[in-house]
Amino acid sequence: MSDYRKDLGKIIKDEKRIITDHIPNVYLSDKLGRKEGNATAVVLAKTTEEVSGIMKYAYENRIPVTPRGAGTNLVGSTVPDHGGIILDVSGMNRIEEFDEDTLSVTVQPGVLLKDVQSYVEERGLFYPPDPGEKESSIGGNISTNAGGMRAVKYGVTRDFVRALEVVTADGRVLTVGSKNVKDTTGLSLKNLFIGSEGTLVIVTKAVLRLVAKPETQVSVIIPYPDLRTGIESVLTLLRADLNPVAVEFMERKVVALGEEFSGVSYPRPDAGSYILLSFDGNRDAVDASVRKASDIAKETGAIDFVVLNDKEKSGEIWTVRGALVNAVEAVSEQEPLDIVVPIDRTADFVEYVNSLEEKTGVRLISFGHAGDGNVHLCVVRGDRDEKEWEEVLDRVLTELYSEVHKMGGLISGEHGLGLSKRKYFFNETDGNAVDLMNQLKEALDPRHILNDKKSYIR
Amino acid sequence: MSDYRKDLGKIIKDEKRIITDHIPNVYLSDKLGRKEGNATAVVLAKTTEEVSGIMKYAYENRIPVTPRGAGTNLVGSTVPDHGGIILDVSGMNRIEEFDEDTLSVTVQPGVLLKDVQSYVEERGLFYPPDPGEKESSIGGNISTNAGGMRAVKYGVTRDFVRALEVVTADGRVLTVGSKNVKDTTGLSLKNLFIGSEGTLVIVTKAVLRLVAKPETQVSVIIPYPDLRTGIESVLTLLRADLNPVAVEFMERKVVALGEEFSGVSYPRPDAGSYILLSFDGNRDAVDASVRKASDIAKETGAIDFVVLNDKEKSGEIWTVRGALVNAVEAVSEQEPLDIVVPIDRTADFVEYVNSLEEKTGVRLISFGHAGDGNVHLCVVRGDRDEKEWEEVLDRVLTELYSEVHKMGGLISGEHGLGLSKRKYFFNETDGNAVDLMNQLKEALDPRHILNDKKSYIR
């Protein structure tokens, strides 16, 4: 047994949870599996003490550490591209406390989103964040400040984290935040750590904020003659006091792909675009919102207004929306983007994308969260070989992100930067902001061992 | 003219905006005026360039800088206790842009809260944060992450800041955040700066998030036989899907003080406590919530349920609540606290305060935001002389904050730490957390010139 393995064994006292030979490929990449790193060890941690022990050891010996949860990220965040230790916390997957009195649930980082959602709903409460990937872990959701469809009404993961237990790069354990609702005691370390993509600390526990479970939930689909009319109606919807949970937009040509993939039909195939809305809350409030939405639909030129009263039909409609990326992937490999623009620029942006598609001959498919200006864009590979694809993709992304920047938008609204978007982030971001982020990294991890050279780190 | 004045004059090209002799007392303290610092200059900045110029000069010459807005803070944040320059941005008070399309307003830091509120409401939108002090400046609200009554439904200032333009300790200017709703591009500098009490950067511009103006607003007052029954009903209210804007509690004996001060009468003087609720949104939603609240009031032992349909009466009831601190101060000087405990401990905490009052003979008056566990506590000086008051206050606070800590609570939920609460914060906070905060300060202001030795800074 090597000295290295022996050292790790002093911290993790269970042989089976240390892998140093023949590391399975699944640990070396992310969900897309396109980039691959290498590592000298995988450690499957079960406790905060183990995470702290590994970090102390790694810090002392200047060994890079790549933290890992469910590994569902799309930007290479879990690719161990500097070697060293892969620190997998997916086995820390207990729900530790359900606290109805403070409306909170305390979970370990490896608990999956879908399990948190169903656990609290069975007990009469509700965890609103709803990123598309339900098999993602809560630790990962926190590290990327994951968004999702319900953000229009409820906000994103950041808005539902009451407290975190974290381990620093040098192995210190501390709790930031608390079960209290308000907090003005010094710097908000919690808010700095949320969304830091595993570059500052490793999350070992989270206290999540819950809300009352909505009495009812209703979805509505509004077909519009064309894309611009549809998207522009969203501004009117948002300025009215309707409080929608989700506001999605889809072009008809994209829905057609989804219909073909899933076998489900959308109403009004003569539409040019659809706005898909949902509302939740008490029945009277929801009914009032639906009535008002119907008035706005008429005023803004909709060709129909379909309330999805049938639970099954409503489920199908949302399933098609949720599976659009899969529908695209059934045709070809694609690069999934998560661009965000100010809400009033969404229509301009999608029209720009259509013109870029025409100009470059690269197929671009867009849909997404109209209520947030958050556009999911699939750049479709088609039958390009590896070298051509790399070159074409880089050219399209460079042009696209530069235009996004001009529109006041951002490179990423949900997936994070990881390895894939660093280059474009540096292109489009004020150097002073990047400097400050790197000064903070330097302050908290001066040896640069924790997920280094990812995200904002130069 | 001294060299110093000449140097400042190169940055601020308007003599009248530089004060180096006979600095008026108002600049040397906070709203309470109990602590006094000293300064070599007051600079009344009008532009970001001026703020940047002053910071560059101060950084180079290692001159302490105390930033200042409307000066309404209660914890000594604006006391220049290290001398140097007072950098007053209250003259930067323009509303720069009202953007209905992205639901945002761009303001300079010196704009007063009340002016933002009325400006956007006149234009059909709504800025929800509502701290008690309406004459506070937006820059100050951001620096303390100010809360207020409407936090139960809407959240605090942090939740309504889309972007900030800031100047660093060494004079760099940058924008953090944007008009976009979602953002996963690197560390959230914006969230680190919010609530940092002027220790990391000076805010020179803010883009605030607005929401649709609620169609209607209704208040309800629920009298309960005693304090515990009243406060415990709040947990039931919060678990139901009512979405209240504000949930306040008051003991009858405190209301009596307010009645005397204002000449307004509350209903049911035979009550032991009151829960004061408000709802907003579309009329059907609000009506449904009020009906449900009435059911819950009955179930939880209320002795009455009064809907404040009369706008004038409703206004009076809220005015009494808003003026409780003034009612106390009409009787004696008091130290205003803003303790927060987990919502299920509010009743325990207020009962503990009552027992502490009995034990120490120091009058303690509590009321506040029951929906957040945020208790405003007035420690009443009475006729104690300066020395006795200092000694008694410190003894009461030490004991009180230690108990708060045991309950899982925090020293401050709204006012910040400033100078007044540093000592107790250090007593009750994990050293690792304080260390990390100080590492961040060191990284961004290594010369420690910006509001140093305030808040979390050792």
Side-chain angles (χ1 to χ4, degrees):
Chain A
M1 200 159 66
S2 72
D3 283 352
Y4 182 46
R5 215 186 142 84
K6 229 183 265 169
D7 287 346
L8 296 175
K10 281 181 205 149
I11 304 160
I12 310 286
K13 294 188 173 99
D14 174 1
E15 278 262 346
K16 294 189 299 297
R17 294 196 279 111
I18 305 169
I19 310 172
T20 48
D21 299 317
H22 309 293
I23 292 172
N25 273 340
V26 67
Y27 288 110
L28 302 177
S29 193
D30 61 5
K31 192 189 175 189
L32 296 177
R34 286 171 208 160
K35 291 191 169 72
E36 197 167 281
N38 60 77
T40 50
V42 178
V43 168
L44 308 170
K46 280 285 197 186
T47 67
T48 301
E49 292 64 39
E50 288 179 351
V51 173
S52 167
I54 292 291
M55 291 313 301
K56 277 180 187 156
Y57 174 76
Y59 195 76
E60 220 163 274
N61 296 283
R62 296 175 186 268
I63 302 168
V65 173
T66 304
R68 182 184 179 89
T72 56
N73 74 91
L74 300 167
V75 293
S77 309
T78 51
V79 174
D81 64 330
H82 287 74
I85 297 169
I86 296 169
L87 182 45
D88 183 333
V89 297
S90 62
M92 295 174 72
N93 59 358
R94 275 185 304 116
I95 294 180
E96 293 197 347
E97 189 200 26
F98 176 71
D99 184 351
E100 210 185 7
D101 286 339
T102 61
L103 301 170
S104 68
V105 64
T106 302
V107 300
Q108 292 189 317
V111 176
L112 301 187
L113 171 64
K114 63 175 188 176
D115 294 332
V116 172
Q117 288 178 335
S118 61
Y119 182 93
V120 303
E121 284 178 44
E122 279 161 21
R123 285 157 183 79
L125 292 175
F126 190 54
Y127 178 68
D130 195 32
E133 177 60 85
K134 316 301 176 204
E135 310 268 337
S136 57
S137 67
I138 286 295
N141 284 190
I142 293 165
S143 295
T144 53
N145 187 23
M149 303 235 198
R150 297 185 193 136
V152 184
K153 172 168 177 177
Y154 289 105
V156 294
T157 302
R158 180 184 302 285
D159 303 301
F160 291 88
V161 177
R162 284 259 185 261
L164 297 174
E165 180 189 80
V166 299
V167 176
T168 61
D170 54 9
R172 285 174 284 174
V173 179
L174 68 153
T175 296
V176 295
S178 65
K179 283 188 177 176
N180 298 287
V181 176
K182 289 178 180 165
D183 180 356
T184 55
T185 59
L187 301 180
S188 183
L189 297 172
K190 178 183 81 175
N191 273 293
L192 178 64
F193 297 156
I194 294 170
S196 62
E197 296 191 65
T199 62
L200 298 182
V201 290
I202 297 176
V203 173
T204 50
K205 196 186 289 193
V207 182
L208 305 174
R209 173 191 161 214
L210 305 174
V211 297
K213 193 170 162 183
E215 192 179 292
T216 190
Q217 199 260 338
V218 170
S219 295
V220 164
I221 189 159
I222 318 179
Y224 280 90
D226 54 58
L227 179 77
R228 183 167 278 274
T229 323
I231 291 183
E232 288 191 343
S233 74
V234 171
L235 293 180
T236 314
L237 281 163
L238 293 175
R239 276 197 295 266
D241 185 19
L242 303 185
N243 210 9
V245 174
V247 184
E248 299 288 310
F249 81 92
M250 289 162 282
E251 282 190 274
R252 173 65 213 169
K253 63 179 185 184
V254 180
V255 167
L257 270 180
E259 289 179 334
E260 200 173 315
F261 179 73
S262 62
V264 171
S265 293
Y266 266 43
R268 298 297 301 244
D270 56 326
S273 72
Y274 299 95
I275 299 295
L276 183 53
L277 285 173
S278 72
F279 300 96
D280 71 11
N282 69 54
R283 184 158 298 281
D284 296 305
V286 168
D287 286 349
S289 289
V290 170
R291 274 197 309 277
K292 239 177 163 179
S294 160
D295 293 344
I296 290 172
K298 257 177 238 150
E299 283 164 28
T300 54
I303 60 173
D304 210 336
F305 183 85
V306 185
V307 182
L308 300 168
N309 282 318
D310 178 346
K311 260 216 147 43
E312 200 181 330
K313 186 68 193 169
S314 171
E316 282 178 2
I317 294 282
W318 280 103
T319 301
V320 171
R321 163 61 192 89
L324 283 180
V325 171
N326 298 340
V328 174
E329 288 202 321
V331 180
S332 159
E333 186 186 313
Q334 55 91 29
E335 181 75 13
L337 311 184
D338 59 320
I339 284 158
V340 57
V341 291
I343 45 174
D344 60 334
R345 302 305 304 274
T346 315
D348 295 341
F349 176 66
V350 177
E351 285 182 359
Y352 161 76
V353 167
N354 288 343
S355 75
L356 186 66
E357 180 173 34
E358 213 164 293
K359 183 178 126 183
T360 60
V362 178
R363 192 160 180 206
L364 301 171
I365 296 172
S366 56
F367 50 88
H369 315 310
D372 310 313
N374 187 192
V375 180
H376 285 294
L377 190 66
C378 304
V379 187
V380 180
R381 175 168 174 174
D383 55 8
R384 291 175 180 84
D385 66 29
E386 195 60 39
K387 191 164 162 282
E388 191 191 351
W389 172 228
E390 248 177 52
E391 189 269 323
V392 164
L393 183 62
D394 182 53
R395 196 150 36 82
V396 169
L397 293 186
T398 303
E399 185 163 344
L400 188 67
Y401 287 136
S402 156
E403 185 66 24
V404 166
H405 182 75
K406 278 182 211 143
M407 287 188 177
L410 297 169
I411 284 167
S412 174
E414 295 197 320
H415 300 169
L417 301 173
L419 283 177
S420 315
K421 295 191 214 129
R422 288 161 49 74
K423 174 180 153 186
Y424 309 104
F425 169 73
F426 292 133
N427 283 352
E428 307 301 343
T429 308
D430 176 0
N432 279 331
V434 181
D435 284 349
L436 259 64
M437 292 181 196
N438 279 275
Q439 285 171 256
L440 298 177
K441 169 70 178 177
E442 184 69 29
L444 299 190
D445 179 16
R447 296 191 178 174
H448 284 263
I449 62 162
L450 201 47
N451 228 10
D452 202 38
K453 298 273 188 291
K454 300 239 172 90
S455 188
Y456 60 89
I457 306 170
R458 284 210 187 91
Chain B
M1 199 159 70
S2 71
D3 283 353
Y4 182 45
R5 216 186 141 83
K6 227 182 269 171
D7 286 346
L8 294 175
K10 281 182 207 150
I11 304 160
I12 311 286
K13 294 187 175 101
D14 175 1
E15 278 261 347
K16 292 189 301 298
R17 295 197 277 111
I18 305 170
I19 310 171
T20 48
D21 299 316
H22 309 292
I23 291 173
N25 273 339
V26 66
Y27 287 111
L28 303 177
S29 194
D30 60 7
K31 192 189 176 190
L32 297 178
R34 287 173 205 157
K35 291 191 170 75
E36 200 166 276
N38 60 79
T40 51
V42 177
V43 168
L44 308 171
K46 278 286 197 187
T47 67
T48 302
E49 292 62 40
E50 289 179 351
V51 173
S52 167
I54 292 292
M55 290 314 301
K56 277 180 185 155
Y57 174 74
Y59 194 78
E60 220 164 90
N61 295 285
R62 297 176 186 267
I63 302 169
V65 174
T66 304
R68 182 183 180 88
T72 57
N73 73 92
L74 301 168
V75 293
S77 309
T78 50
V79 174
D81 63 332
H82 287 73
I85 298 170
I86 295 169
L87 182 44
D88 183 333
V89 297
S90 62
M92 295 174 71
N93 58 358
R94 274 186 306 115
I95 294 180
E96 294 198 346
E97 189 200 25
F98 177 71
D99 184 351
E100 212 186 5
D101 285 339
T102 61
L103 301 170
S104 68
V105 64
T106 302
V107 300
Q108 290 189 317
V111 177
L112 301 188
L113 170 63
K114 63 174 188 179
D115 294 331
V116 172
Q117 289 178 336
S118 61
Y119 182 92
V120 304
E121 284 177 46
E122 278 161 21
R123 286 157 182 80
L125 291 176
F126 189 55
Y127 178 67
D130 195 32
E133 177 61 84
K134 317 300 176 205
E135 310 268 337
S136 56
S137 67
I138 286 295
N141 285 191
I142 292 165
S143 295
T144 53
N145 186 24
M149 303 240 199
R150 296 184 193 138
V152 183
K153 173 168 176 176
Y154 289 105
V156 294
T157 301
R158 180 183 303 284
D159 303 303
F160 291 87
V161 177
R162 284 258 184 262
L164 298 174
E165 181 189 79
V166 299
V167 176
T168 61
D170 55 8
R172 286 174 284 174
V173 179
L174 69 154
T175 296
V176 296
S178 65
K179 282 188 179 175
N180 298 287
V181 177
K182 289 178 180 166
D183 180 356
T184 55
T185 59
L187 301 180
S188 182
L189 297 172
K190 178 183 81 175
N191 273 293
L192 178 65
F193 297 155
I194 294 170
S196 63
E197 297 190 65
T199 63
L200 299 182
V201 291
I202 297 176
V203 173
T204 49
K205 196 186 290 192
V207 182
L208 304 174
R209 171 190 162 215
L210 305 173
V211 297
K213 192 168 162 186
E215 191 179 294
T216 189
Q217 200 261 336
V218 170
S219 295
V220 164
I221 189 158
I222 318 179
Y224 280 90
D226 54 58
L227 179 78
R228 182 166 280 275
T229 323
I231 291 185
E232 288 191 343
S233 76
V234 172
L235 292 180
T236 314
L237 282 163
L238 293 175
R239 277 197 296 266
D241 186 20
L242 303 185
N243 212 9
V245 174
V247 184
E248 298 289 308
F249 81 92
M250 287 163 282
E251 283 190 273
R252 174 63 214 171
K253 62 179 186 185
V254 179
V255 167
L257 270 179
E259 288 179 335
E260 202 172 313
F261 179 72
S262 62
V264 171
S265 293
Y266 265 43
R268 296 299 299 247
D270 56 327
S273 73
Y274 299 95
I275 298 297
L276 183 54
L277 285 173
S278 74
F279 300 97
D280 71 11
N282 69 54
R283 184 158 299 280
D284 296 305
V286 168
D287 287 350
S289 289
V290 170
R291 275 199 308 277
K292 239 178 163 178
S294 160
D295 293 343
I296 290 172
K298 259 178 235 149
E299 282 163 30
T300 54
I303 61 173
D304 209 335
F305 183 85
V306 185
V307 183
L308 301 166
N309 282 318
D310 178 346
K311 259 216 146 45
E312 200 181 329
K313 185 68 193 169
S314 171
E316 283 178 2
I317 293 281
W318 280 104
T319 301
V320 172
R321 162 59 192 89
L324 283 180
V325 170
N326 298 342
V328 174
E329 288 201 323
V331 180
S332 158
E333 185 187 314
Q334 55 89 32
E335 179 75 15
L337 311 185
D338 59 320
I339 284 158
V340 57
V341 292
I343 43 173
D344 59 334
R345 303 306 303 274
T346 315
D348 295 340
F349 176 67
V350 177
E351 284 182 0
Y352 161 76
V353 167
N354 288 342
S355 75
L356 186 65
E357 181 173 35
E358 214 164 292
K359 184 178 124 183
T360 59
V362 178
R363 192 160 180 206
L364 301 171
I365 296 172
S366 56
F367 51 88
H369 315 310
D372 309 314
N374 189 191
V375 180
H376 285 296
L377 191 64
C378 303
V379 186
V380 179
R381 175 167 173 174
D383 55 8
R384 291 175 180 84
D385 66 27
E386 195 60 38
K387 191 164 162 281
E388 189 192 352
W389 171 229
E390 248 178 51
E391 189 269 323
V392 163
L393 183 62
D394 183 53
R395 193 149 39 80
V396 168
L397 293 186
T398 302
E399 184 163 344
L400 188 68
Y401 287 137
S402 157
E403 185 66 24
V404 166
H405 181 75
K406 279 183 209 144
M407 286 188 177
L410 296 169
I411 284 167
S412 173
E414 294 196 322
H415 301 169
L417 300 174
L419 284 177
S420 316
K421 295 191 213 128
R422 289 161 47 74
K423 173 181 153 186
Y424 310 103
F425 169 73
F426 291 134
N427 283 349
E428 309 300 344
T429 308
D430 176 0
N432 280 330
V434 181
D435 285 348
L436 258 64
M437 291 181 195
N438 278 275
Q439 285 172 256
L440 299 176
K441 170 70 178 175
E442 184 69 30
L444 298 191
D445 179 15
R447 296 188 179 177
H448 285 262
I449 62 162
L450 200 47
N451 227 11
D452 202 38
K453 298 274 187 290
K454 300 241 172 90
S455 188
Y456 61 89
I457 305 170
R458 285 210 188 91

